[in-house]
């Protein structure tokens, strides 16, 4: 019995070691990539790109019942600096006067658009053109959800690249140009995305989210360095339109359409044997607010977990040798440590606690296990904080340093387990719904 | 780890502070050199500081005219730093190598030619492209002979960057290599060369482009680029032929070319394209019709009203609305 308990304990220790070591290795890859690319870029002193070669971009903005904020959102997009862009706003059947708000703010008038239905969508009612802002068009359609609205916007867009920005994301005027730059440099570029940093806030909850986000961010940048970024944050992304259309556009009925789309693009491109690149841009060019309460945080994490599960399940064909680094390394890693990870983590903690309670392992062994797990997690978190500091000179004042380290401790001893609990519940809920034929 | 993090931060700050102080002195020397390089002074630059100094010097050169760059180069030579920069080319670190390569270009250092030519063949895009730029600064005609093929063939050298270089060099420098590229056999980056053709002397380039336009075996990518370039009435027969090409991208490019160089006589061809099964071709044809010389909005409206094809009528209505907005 003791021998069996020992073996189980080693399996548990092995799982946690593999997980945290995996994150630390990904951070090391991210650090190496950042050092190589950012260091050299600054020294190149390249002149600005010839404007005639800059690809035009369509910015897509799906809205529904946002009468109060929609004009402001459009004005923010109009402030972006770029040589040739258009803005396509899709009103997904609003009942609060969103279309009227746009009509008033931008003097819309009906436009006889020869609408190209490349992707199947809910019917379009009308297309409007702004008399005040020639690069703005508004499409009014029947309700079909965000994915459907984005597909309508893709159909109505005229340019070869399109950009989707999540509401609430703050950006600089230069964000778009910087996000398009990889398309100018690399003909294989298919998707580029900024991972929005969280706004610094004085609350403990916000600080813990910052630590959690940085650890995730640098692991994603690590995957991106080997063209295996499966989870692309949807804050600000630029896509090559033809490839998205060939892959079937956005899929409806998912909590996060963007995550599934990127996974599908990986799968489609790999299955065709085409060379491509999906890049997560590391610079802190966008910001978004953290969850302000535990309830909001819980709902966000459950939604993310649900999106991840749906997306992985829909693209399970990516896994395996034919999927390249994305299918051979990233897919199994994310499946083991991010998809089933939360449930496994909690189960393994419970097993170790039970073995300790039954006297199958000593207090010293149990203590050593907890210490090792927290220390490895803390190391991964602190490494992410240090990477952010050294890469982008985002240094906290010296007086806040102990607080940052404390955040990294609390993040691993309490916060992480709470998030795992929510994610595990989401996983169980998802399973139940699937079993019930949902 | 906390102590290590703190120590690393302190070290970084101390280095930044020390570098800022040094840079202040170096900047003063460079400013003086811009007025009179023989009177400018520089403190002794220690080996660990050389890379930072040259990086600053490169940045200063980028913002100067030719005369200013020559003065800054004289400053380097006067202090024997050109020799040290040349030696830095042998370093293995990509960062140091890049700094040295860029400095060699600003110095127009002929002794670096062979090493730079070797770097230009490197598989690393940043290093090889920086070496190509440095070679062009040292001897543009010689470098163009050496680099004509890679400019067309190296897919890791972005066309946008090459276009910017070609624009800076001007038609006098780039026409001959472009003629060589366009006279080559198909393949090996002919489509890229065709896209760069706009930077050359039109009188010498246009006949070569026409040659590819008239060749029925030309690859669609090359044809599209050739049609974008076409600008003379002699190109019209080939643009009309391209309007019936099996590849929709060629037909769309033909619509634009017909509007750009043709007149009313292209109306039948464009009306045919307006009924094309591919939306993008119809869109280009409708836009071409609104830009066609000699066609009035009233005539366009009449064309829309009389169009038997619903797709064509819709597309013309959109194009007319766009024209009014413009």
């Amino acid at each position: 019995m003791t021998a069996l308990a020992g073996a189980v304990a080693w399996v548990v220790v092995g799982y946690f070691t593999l997980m945290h070591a995996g994150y630390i290795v990904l951070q090391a890859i991210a650090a190496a990539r950042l050092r190589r690319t950012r260091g050299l870029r600054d020294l190149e002193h390249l002149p600005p790109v010839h404007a005639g070669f800059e690809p035009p971009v369509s910015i897509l903005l799906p809205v529904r019942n946002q009468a109060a904020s929609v004009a402001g959102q459009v004005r923010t997009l109009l402030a972006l600096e770029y040589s040739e862009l258009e803005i396509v706003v899709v009103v997904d059947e609003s009942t609060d006067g969103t279309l009227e708000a746009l009509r008033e703010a931008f003097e819309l008038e009906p436009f006889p658009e020869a609408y190209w239905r490349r992707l199947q969508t809910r019917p379009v009612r009308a297309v409007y053109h702004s008399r005040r802002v020639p690069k703005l068009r508004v499409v009014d359609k029947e309700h079909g959800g965000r994915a459907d609205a984005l597909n309508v916007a893709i159909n109505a867009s005229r340019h070869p690249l399109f950009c989707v920005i999540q509401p609430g994301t703050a950006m600089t005027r230069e964000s778009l140009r910087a996000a398009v730059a990889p398309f100018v440099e690399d003909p294989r570029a298919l998707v580029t995305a900024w991972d929005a940093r969280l706004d610094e806030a004085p609350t403990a909850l916000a600080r813990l989210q910052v630590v959690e986000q940085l650890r995730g961010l640098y692991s994603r940048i690590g995957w991106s360095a080997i063209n295996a970024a499966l989870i692309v944050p949807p804050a600000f992304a630029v896509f090559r339109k033809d490839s998205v259309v060939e892959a079937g556009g956005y899929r409806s009925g998912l909590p996060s359409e963007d995550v599934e789309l990127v996974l599908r693009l990986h799968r489609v491109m790999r299955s065709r044997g085409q060379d491509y690149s999906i890049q997560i841009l590391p610079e802190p060019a966008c910001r978004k607010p953290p969850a302000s309460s535990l309830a909001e945080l819980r709902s966000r994490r459950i939604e993310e977990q649900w999106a991840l599960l749906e997306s992985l399940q829909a693209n399970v064909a990516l896994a395996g040798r034919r999927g390249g680094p994305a299918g051979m390394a990233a897919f199994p890693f994310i499946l083991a440590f991010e998809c089933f990870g939360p449930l496994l983590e909690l189960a393994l903690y419970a097993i170790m606690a039970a073995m300790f309670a039954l006297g199958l392992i000593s207090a010293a062994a149990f203590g050593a296990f907890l210490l090792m797990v927290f220390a490895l997690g803390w190391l991964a978190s602190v490494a992410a904080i240090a990477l952010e500091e050294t890469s982008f000179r985002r240094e906290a004042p010296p007086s806040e340093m102990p607080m940052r380290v404390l955040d990294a401790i609390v993040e691993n001893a309490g916060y992480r387990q709470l998030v795992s609990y929510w994610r595990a519940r989401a996983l169980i809920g998802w399973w139940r719904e699937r079993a019930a034929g949902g | 780890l906390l102590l290590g993090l703190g120590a690393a931060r302190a070290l970084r700050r101390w280095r930044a502070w020390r570098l800022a102080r040094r840079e202040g002195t170096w900047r003063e020397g460079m400013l003086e050199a811009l007025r009179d390089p023989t009177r400018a002074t520089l403190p002794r630059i220690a080996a660990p500081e050389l890379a930072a100094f040259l990086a600053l010097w490169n940045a200063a050169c980028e913002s100067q005219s030719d005369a200013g760059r020559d003065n800054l180069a004289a400053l380097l030579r006067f202090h024997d730093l050109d020799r040290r920069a040349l030696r830095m080319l042998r370093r293995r670190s990509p960062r140091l190598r890049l700094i040295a390569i860029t400095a060699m270009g600003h110095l127009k250092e002929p002794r670096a030619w062979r090493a730079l030519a070797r770097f230009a063949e490197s598989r690393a895009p940043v290093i090889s492209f920086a070496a190509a730029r440095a070679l062009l600064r040292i001897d543009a005609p010689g470098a163009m002979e050496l680099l004509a093929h890679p400019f067309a063939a190296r897919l890791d050298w972005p066309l946008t960057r090459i276009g910017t270089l070609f624009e800076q060099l001007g038609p006098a420098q780039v026409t001959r290599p472009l003629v060589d590229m366009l006279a080559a056999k198909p393949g090996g980056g002919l489509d890229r060369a065709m896209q760069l053709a706009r930077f050359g002397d039109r009188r010498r380039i246009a006949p070569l482009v026409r040659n590819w336009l008239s060749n029925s075996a030309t690859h669609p990518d090359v044809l599209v680029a050739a049609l974008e370039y076409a600008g003379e009435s002699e190109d019209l027969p080939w643009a009309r032929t391209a309007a019936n090409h099996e590849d929709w991208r060629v037909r769309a490019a033909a619509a634009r070319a017909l509007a750009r160089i043709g007149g009313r006589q292209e109306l039948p061809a464009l009306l045919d394209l307006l009924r094309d099964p591919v939306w993008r071709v119809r869109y280009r044809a409708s836009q071409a019709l609104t830009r066609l010389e000699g066609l009035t909005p009233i005539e366009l409206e009449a064309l829309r009203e009389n169009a038997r094809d619903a797709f064509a009528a819709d597309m013309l209505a959109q194009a007319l609305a766009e024209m009014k907005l413009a």
Side-chain angles (χ1 to χ4, degrees):
Chain A
M1 195 66 180
T2 316
L4 181 67
V8 169
W10 277 114
V11 169
V12 173
V13 168
Y15 175 83
F16 280 105
T17 308
L18 209 60
M19 177 173 71
H20 290 303
Y23 283 116
I24 290 168
V25 167
L26 285 169
Q27 285 171 358
I29 295 172
R33 166 55 68 96
L34 281 171
R35 193 178 158 79
R36 207 165 51 237
T37 53
R38 281 181 58 79
L40 294 185
R41 275 276 169 266
D42 295 344
L43 296 170
E44 268 191 295
H45 301 296
L46 287 170
V49 167
H50 185 266
F53 283 121
E54 220 169 36
V57 180
S58 305
I59 301 181
L60 315 184
L61 180 65
V63 290
R64 179 171 160 80
N65 294 338
Q66 292 171 31
S69 65
V70 69
Q73 286 183 54
V74 173
R75 286 196 190 100
T76 307
L77 298 179
L78 287 169
L80 285 169
E81 282 177 2
Y82 198 73
S83 55
E84 193 179 349
L85 64 85
E86 63 165 0
I87 296 167
V88 183
V89 181
V90 177
V91 181
D92 192 26
E93 194 172 283
S94 287
T95 52
D96 70 340
T98 301
L99 185 61
E100 285 66 35
L102 282 165
R103 191 177 283 149
E104 200 175 302
F106 301 104
E107 293 178 33
L108 301 183
E109 59 182 11
F111 184 76
E113 177 100 6
Y115 180 69
W116 186 14
R117 208 170 162 184
R118 300 175 80 183
L119 296 164
Q120 292 301 307
T121 61
R122 300 279 294 155
V124 167
R125 288 172 178 155
V127 179
Y128 300 88
H129 206 293
S130 165
R131 271 194 292 184
R132 280 181 52 198
V133 187
K135 56 188 172 187
L136 171 67
R137 274 179 304 142
V138 175
V139 183
D140 183 27
K141 66 176 279 284
E142 287 182 12
H143 178 51
R146 187 171 181 266
D148 192 65
L150 282 167
N151 284 340
V152 166
I154 291 172
N155 285 343
S157 65
R158 306 253 163 86
H159 296 327
L161 302 180
F162 71 83
C163 171
V164 181
I165 303 165
Q166 214 169 44
T169 304
M171 62 217 136
T172 64
R173 284 168 168 245
E174 280 292 311
S175 296
L176 181 61
R177 178 160 284 137
V180 174
F183 289 90
V184 175
E185 305 276 324
D186 183 359
R188 301 172 311 135
L190 203 65
V191 183
T192 59
W194 295 114
D195 200 343
R197 304 298 203 276
L198 291 176
D199 290 330
E200 300 275 350
T203 64
L205 185 64
R207 288 204 314 270
L208 292 173
Q209 287 174 73
V210 169
V211 176
E212 179 197 22
Q213 197 234 9
L214 285 179
R215 200 181 46 209
L217 165 74
Y218 282 102
S219 69
R220 287 192 284 274
I221 294 171
W223 285 124
S224 174
I226 54 169
N227 199 23
L230 299 188
I231 303 171
V232 170
F236 189 118
V238 179
F239 295 83
R240 195 176 289 281
K241 186 167 77 178
D242 281 347
S243 305
V244 171
V245 171
E246 282 167 25
Y250 285 90
R251 206 182 112 190
S252 294
L254 294 171
S256 175
E257 310 82 7
D258 315 72
V259 173
E260 194 279 331
L261 176 62
V262 170
L263 263 158
R264 183 149 34 92
L265 285 170
H266 270 295
R267 177 167 61 82
V268 170
M269 299 306 281
R270 292 280 177 193
S271 67
R272 288 181 189 164
Q274 285 179 356
D275 206 5
Y276 70 100
S277 87
I278 292 176
Q279 298 177 34
I280 293 179
L281 307 172
E283 289 80 6
C286 299
R287 308 199 67 82
K288 63 181 179 187
S292 54
S293 65
L294 272 177
E296 190 189 346
L297 181 67
R298 176 179 170 274
S299 127
R300 279 193 195 183
R301 295 296 172 264
I302 288 175
E303 197 173 279
E304 283 165 12
Q305 187 68 12
W306 203 279
L308 180 66
L309 290 160
E310 290 278 351
S311 306
L312 288 178
Q313 194 221 350
N315 296 286
V316 76
L318 175 66
R321 235 163 47 130
R322 283 189 62 194
M328 281 193 298
F331 200 104
F333 184 90
I334 289 169
L335 198 69
F337 300 123
E338 290 183 22
C339 187
F340 298 117
L343 193 60
L344 272 171
E345 265 183 59
L346 295 180
L348 296 178
Y349 281 128
I351 288 171
M352 288 299 276
M355 288 200 301
F356 169 61
L358 294 170
L360 294 171
I361 55 171
S362 66
F366 186 57
F369 158 74
L370 288 179
L371 202 65
M372 187 215 72
V373 168
F374 295 143
L376 278 174
W378 182 76
L379 192 66
S381 302
V382 172
I385 295 171
L387 211 49
E388 179 79 348
E389 273 200 5
T390 51
S391 305
F392 301 107
R393 302 282 183 269
R394 299 184 72 215
E395 293 183 358
S399 57
E400 276 191 24
M401 276 290 283
M403 193 57 99
R404 285 272 171 111
V405 174
L406 190 68
D407 289 342
I409 292 170
V410 178
E411 199 264 333
N412 280 284
Y415 176 89
R416 188 184 162 81
Q417 287 71 23
L418 182 64
V419 170
S420 291
Y421 170 69
W422 290 331
R423 286 184 180 274
R425 283 195 61 176
L427 174 62
I428 293 164
W430 180 80
W431 250 329
R432 279 193 185 144
E433 197 172 298
R434 270 180 55 77
Chain B
L1 194 67
L2 179 60
L3 282 175
L5 209 61
R9 181 189 273 197
L11 185 67
R12 203 168 53 241
R13 284 193 173 178
W14 178 72
R15 276 186 184 157
W17 172 78
R18 199 181 61 169
L19 187 64
R21 275 189 58 188
R22 293 277 182 191
E23 279 184 351
T25 331
W26 298 339
R27 274 205 185 89
E28 277 174 27
M30 287 180 208
L31 276 173
E32 187 61 39
L34 288 172
R35 288 189 286 271
D36 182 359
T38 55
R39 293 181 60 187
T41 53
L42 271 180
R44 191 185 160 273
I45 300 195
E49 295 167 348
L50 184 62
F53 172 80
L54 286 175
L56 186 73
W57 183 85
N58 284 339
C61 285
E62 292 291 339
S63 62
Q64 291 301 318
S65 62
D66 281 349
R69 258 197 293 266
D70 289 345
N71 282 359
L72 288 172
L75 174 76
L76 236 63
R77 292 204 171 91
F78 187 73
H79 290 272
D80 201 27
L81 291 167
D82 56 330
R83 200 175 45 81
R84 290 172 67 185
L86 190 64
R87 272 210 307 268
M88 200 195 260
L89 277 179
R90 290 186 223 137
R91 300 291 292 270
R92 300 194 75 171
S93 148
R95 184 174 168 271
L96 297 181
R97 200 171 264 182
L98 182 61
I99 291 171
I101 287 170
T102 312
M104 289 300 114
H106 290 310
L107 278 167
K108 298 181 180 165
E109 179 57 72
R111 286 176 293 173
W113 185 268
R114 282 181 63 184
L116 291 174
R118 208 173 55 248
F119 288 138
E121 291 172 5
S122 145
R123 284 171 63 189
V126 172
I127 294 291
S128 58
F129 194 66
R133 286 180 73 207
L135 287 168
L136 283 166
R137 281 195 173 116
I138 296 170
D139 172 15
M144 282 307 276
E145 267 185 42
L146 196 71
L147 299 169
H149 178 68
F151 275 142
R154 279 197 71 151
L155 298 181
D156 57 345
W157 287 3
L159 205 58
T160 47
R161 300 285 179 208
I162 301 171
T164 311
L165 273 185
F166 276 33
E167 193 179 40
Q168 287 171 347
L169 288 164
Q173 300 282 5
V174 303
T175 301
R176 213 186 117 200
L178 276 172
V179 166
D180 292 342
M181 289 186 225
L182 292 168
K185 286 179 185 168
L190 184 61
D191 56 329
R192 281 164 62 91
M194 197 66 83
Q195 289 178 68
L196 293 168
R198 70 174 98 162
F199 298 104
D201 180 352
R202 200 158 188 99
R203 283 168 306 174
R204 292 185 61 196
I205 301 280
L208 290 163
V209 174
R210 201 164 299 130
N211 191 32
W212 287 110
L213 266 179
S214 61
N215 186 341
S216 60
T218 303
H219 190 276
D221 289 342
V222 179
L223 264 183
V224 170
L227 284 163
E228 295 296 343
Y229 180 87
E232 282 88 31
S233 55
E234 292 98 307
D235 300 320
L236 268 174
W238 314 116
R240 285 181 200 133
T241 311
N244 296 312
H245 198 276
E246 59 185 11
D247 192 309
W248 70 264
R249 292 170 305 150
V250 178
R251 297 200 298 278
R256 284 160 67 105
L258 287 172
R260 198 169 54 244
I261 48 183
R264 286 187 71 98
Q265 69 277 17
E266 308 311 326
L267 197 57
L270 288 173
L271 287 173
D272 276 348
L273 288 172
L274 203 58
R275 290 191 291 271
D276 197 278
V278 178
W279 188 93
R280 278 182 183 158
V281 179
R282 295 202 299 276
Y283 180 62
R284 292 277 172 237
S286 68
Q287 285 193 320
L289 280 167
T290 60
R291 286 166 197 166
L292 200 62
E293 209 174 291
L295 207 63
T296 64
I298 297 166
E299 286 174 295
L300 279 169
E301 193 61 52
L303 281 173
R304 185 190 68 79
E305 281 174 13
N306 298 326
R308 287 183 191 163
D309 185 298
F311 286 133
D314 287 352
M315 199 54 91
L316 259 180
Q318 177 179 322
L320 278 163
E322 280 178 358
M323 194 171 75
K324 279 177 196 161
L325 283 165

